Amino acid sequence: MKPTSSLQNTFCRRLKQARLVKGFSQKGLGIAAGIEEFSASARINRYEVGVHQPDLLTLQLLAKALEIPAAYFLAEDDQLAEMILRFAEEISSNAP
């Protein structure tokens, strides 16, 4: 297993937290993000434990399935990440 960076560890933690908050299994999230059913669970697991990193398109699809901005996963600071979530919630609640 290759060493992981702090940002990668943060991504892994946030992905798992967001998945659990939304009530997705690893397989369910993968399927919702357009990953083939056969490999969906394994791929999400590998993203969550840091074995693999999603490409940017996959990151966007995961964020869309979780209904959160992709920037949330990439924010280096937890406070900034929380602000991104709150801002996105505010915008969606004020949408016509």
Side-chain angles (χ1 to χ4, degrees):
M1 190 156 146
K2 53 186 176 178
T4 58
S5 71
S6 176
L7 184 56
Q8 184 177 357
N9 288 335
T10 300
F11 166 78
C12 296
R13 176 176 47 84
R14 288 186 188 147
L15 177 62
K16 184 174 183 176
Q17 285 175 334
R19 176 180 62 79
L20 294 174
V21 165
K22 290 292 184 177
F24 277 113
S25 65
Q26 290 177 332
K27 182 176 183 176
L29 174 57
I31 291 169
I35 298 171
E36 291 182 28
E37 184 176 353
F38 179 75
S39 62
S41 180
R43 283 195 42 201
I44 299 301
N45 179 267
R46 289 182 181 125
Y47 296 153
E48 288 183 359
V49 298
V51 173
H52 294 293
Q53 297 175 24
D55 58 33
L56 290 177
L57 176 59
T58 303
L59 177 64
Q60 289 176 314
L61 293 171
L62 289 168
K64 184 175 182 179
L66 292 164
E67 300 176 318
I68 57 177
Y72 166 76
F73 295 113
L74 302 175
E76 294 181 42
D77 179 86
D78 285 338
Q79 285 182 327
L80 178 57
E82 288 302 316
M83 289 174 63
I84 290 168
L85 285 180
R86 283 195 301 264
F87 183 71
E89 290 169 1
E90 186 175 319
I91 286 176
S92 67
S93 68
N94 291 330

